[in-house]
Amino acid sequence: MLATGLPAPVTGAFADPVRVEAPQAPSFADVVQAVSPAVVSVRVQAEVKPVSNDGPFNFNFNGRGFEDLPDDHPMKRFFDEFSRGFGGEPDRDDRRAERDRRGPDGERRPGRVRPVSQGSGFFISEDGMLVTNNHVVENGSAFTVIMDDGTELDAKLIGRDSRTDLAVLKVEEAREFTYVDFADDSKVRVGDWVVAVGNPFGLGGSVTAGIVSARGRDIGAGPYDDFIQVDAAVNRGNSGGPTFNLNGEVIGINTAIFSPSGGNVGIAFAIPASTARAVIRDLIDDGTVERGWLGVQIQPVTADIAESLGLAEAQGALVTEPQSDAPAAKAGIEAGDVVTAVDGEAVEGPRELAKKIAGIEPGKTTEITVWRNGESQTIEVELGTLPTETAALNTDDQDEPSAPQAEATLDDFGLTVVPAENGKGLLITSVAAESAAEERGLRAGDVIVAVNNQDVSDAADVVGIIDSAATAGRKAALFQVENENRSRFVALPIDQG
């Protein structure tokens, strides 16, 4: 044996290594296994018309389009490679698109079918009804769903709704599809586990997990915003895919992410199941969604506005302007009214009012409770049908301009005003820096048309109304302001000194 200078090997038994009995970690495998067959990838194609030779952006060579050049021409080869992303064999979609645009005799057809978007979706019935986002399908002319086993099936569009970003497709196939059901999202709590399944970046069949981060999110997407926020990784391509609870029920449909970089940062938004269920039912019935329509412009009630109106709480929806010939105006609802309830159910703010009215069948007579002149009253309104596009409000013909008048100052509010040329209200000519009016967004060019729901035509009118409000103990006055045919209310504090 050679001497190595190393210690002799230790003989005998070793002690057992350290082991810690960790608590059983949650697994989503059972849920994923059960729901995955119901989740699909959605590929959307659109008809793309070829550019004509006389078009302003047509590339041409000696008067001919690149596509008309001989196959062995170097510029033709360059064009073909450019259209496929510079080199490589055409993929399956390229070959299919080329085949689709040629007839039986090999002649080119007028248009080309090209992929325009990819998203996700899920079956809601065994006969092939499936749900996705409107923004996934809105520009499409042909739709293909890819099952979790790779099977590709054609689908047709049943209906879509841009206001809630929902759409329904139908696969016509003689088979029974695995489908999932919606959860009662009223029972969803912040902190609950969720699982998102979808088609991020076209990868297909991807699963992520997280928790419910928040409820009732308003992200400015539309009047019916009421999103569930989750932190499960959701990326481009997940749109239209489901977010499940641990029972395999859909609590929401992924529709948007917050991402400065374009990738997942842990903030995703899902359309609640309760919203989706009602819209989807209408889309399946006749392909459209009918909503009740009140016809008012509204804004939130702030603490200052509540004080100026004598409301005990800052809640409800303040009517800034009833639209002409709309149901609200016909029933007698006025600018300055605060809608506090619909059919006896309290209205917290503008978003709740929009949702409640939209959920009522058009033509139904509805009781609208408003706060007006310091007291509550109920007005019956026969709701109309929400138009697809609301026409711009007609403006009344202006009166003949009056003679120029001298400016006046409203020192308590930091405003300089002059009677408006049409005799309706006071034109603000300047706003003092760091004044209450400036802090609340008033600007030169705004027109004060009313204070505390009383029309004003000169500064003396404003002073008299303010004095009466101060005597009544009010700490703020409500100014109705117009600019560029838009009306809003602003509460300004009253100087009690």
Side-chain angles (χ1 to χ4, degrees):
M1 178 179 294
L2 297 176
T4 62
L6 297 176
V10 179
T11 59
F14 288 96
D16 290 335
V18 174
R19 289 186 175 88
V20 177
E21 293 295 332
Q24 182 66 39
S27 173
F28 308 106
D30 291 340
V31 176
V32 173
Q33 183 177 358
V35 303
S36 288
V39 182
V40 301
S41 300
V42 179
R43 184 171 64 231
V44 181
Q45 296 174 312
E47 186 76 12
V48 180
K49 295 182 179 179
V51 182
S52 62
N53 287 338
D54 57 357
F57 301 108
N58 179 50
F59 294 103
N60 65 75
F61 183 75
N62 289 339
R64 296 183 298 178
F66 282 167
E67 292 189 339
D68 296 327
L69 294 173
D71 290 339
D72 60 350
H73 195 287
M75 292 304 292
K76 176 63 179 295
R77 290 197 300 270
F78 172 80
F79 181 83
D80 288 342
E81 290 178 353
F82 180 84
S83 67
R84 290 200 303 266
F86 292 98
E89 291 298 319
D91 61 20
R92 181 172 56 188
D93 290 336
D94 287 328
R95 291 195 295 269
R96 181 184 294 112
E98 178 65 19
R99 183 174 65 250
D100 289 344
R101 68 191 178 103
R102 290 183 182 273
D105 56 359
E107 292 297 321
R108 293 182 186 273
R109 291 173 177 169
R112 303 177 65 181
V113 177
R114 298 290 293 169
V116 294
S117 67
Q118 292 189 74
S120 305
F122 57 97
F123 287 108
I124 57 170
S125 69
E126 65 179 9
D127 63 349
M129 288 287 184
L130 66 99
V131 178
T132 186
N133 280 151
N134 171 69
H135 76 257
V136 171
V137 303
E138 62 181 339
N139 295 317
S141 60
F143 312 95
T144 303
V145 300
I146 300 95
M147 308 285 288
D148 68 327
D149 61 1
T151 303
E152 297 188 8
L153 301 171
D154 292 334
K156 67 177 182 180
L157 181 64
I158 299 300
R160 60 188 184 89
D161 179 50
S162 61
R163 288 185 171 94
T164 55
D165 196 25
L166 290 168
V168 176
L169 299 173
K170 177 72 162 61
V171 175
E172 298 291 355
E173 186 81 7
R175 59 187 289 187
E176 292 184 358
F177 293 94
T178 300
Y179 67 97
V180 291
D181 199 3
F182 288 105
D184 179 0
D185 63 74
S186 66
K187 298 179 180 179
V188 173
R189 300 178 302 166
V190 174
D192 281 349
W193 283 108
V194 292
V195 177
V197 185
N199 180 33
F201 301 112
L203 295 173
S206 294
V207 179
T208 56
I211 63 169
V212 174
S213 302
R215 298 210 51 183
R217 287 299 198 205
D218 183 350
I219 63 174
Y224 311 119
D225 281 14
D226 186 24
F227 294 107
I228 298 172
Q229 181 184 328
V230 301
D231 71 348
V234 172
N235 290 284
R236 294 176 182 174
N238 276 107
S239 292
T243 292
F244 294 101
N245 60 21
L246 297 190
N247 294 323
E249 300 168 319
V250 179
I251 69 163
I253 302 171
N254 299 317
T255 189
I257 61 173
F258 174 80
S259 176
S261 64
N264 170 64
V265 295
I267 301 177
F269 303 98
I271 303 164
S274 54
T275 299
R277 187 185 289 109
V279 171
I280 290 166
R281 183 171 56 246
D282 285 349
L283 292 177
I284 292 175
D285 284 345
D286 59 10
T288 61
V289 179
E290 287 191 344
R291 295 181 170 91
W293 180 50
L294 189 59
V296 290
Q297 297 180 21
I298 51 180
Q299 72 178 61
V301 177
T302 64
D304 287 342
I305 290 176
E307 166 61 30
S308 69
L309 294 173
L311 276 169
E313 297 181 274
Q315 64 181 34
L318 177 60
V319 177
T320 60
E321 186 173 1
Q323 298 176 20
S324 60
D325 296 326
K330 292 177 180 178
I333 292 178
E334 304 172 354
D337 288 347
V338 177
V339 179
T340 58
V342 175
D343 284 335
E345 295 183 3
V347 170
E348 296 296 325
R351 184 175 61 186
E352 287 76 18
L353 176 60
K355 288 183 63 178
K356 288 181 183 297
I357 295 298
I360 298 174
E361 183 180 355
K364 180 181 178 181
T365 299
T366 303
E367 292 186 347
I368 306 295
T369 304
V370 302
W371 180 263
R372 179 189 296 174
N373 296 329
E375 61 182 17
S376 181
Q377 56 182 282
T378 299
I379 300 174
E380 290 190 348
V381 181
E382 182 179 336
L383 298 182
T385 301
L386 181 66
T388 303
E389 293 183 2
T390 303
L393 295 176
N394 294 324
T395 55
D396 295 333
D397 294 334
Q398 293 186 344
D399 296 336
E400 289 296 323
S402 58
Q405 299 191 38
E407 290 184 331
T409 59
L410 298 171
D411 292 331
D412 287 349
F413 305 109
L415 296 173
T416 302
V417 297
V418 64
E421 289 186 352
N422 62 3
K424 298 178 181 179
L426 296 170
L427 174 67
I428 299 175
T429 56
S430 67
V431 181
E434 300 182 358
S435 64
E438 184 188 53
E439 290 175 356
R440 287 160 174 77
L442 294 185
R443 299 289 183 268
D446 290 346
V447 176
I448 303 169
V449 296
V451 177
N452 285 353
N453 294 323
Q454 299 179 54
D455 294 340
V456 294
S457 58
D458 57 36
D461 291 341
V462 178
V463 172
I465 295 169
I466 297 302
D467 286 345
S468 297
T471 301
R474 296 285 175 82
K475 297 180 180 179
L478 191 65
F479 285 62
Q480 184 179 2
V481 181
E482 291 183 352
N483 194 339
E484 298 178 352
N485 294 327
R486 294 183 60 188
S487 180
R488 71 185 191 279
F489 287 89
V490 178
L492 297 179
I494 296 175
D495 183 359
Q496 297 296 326

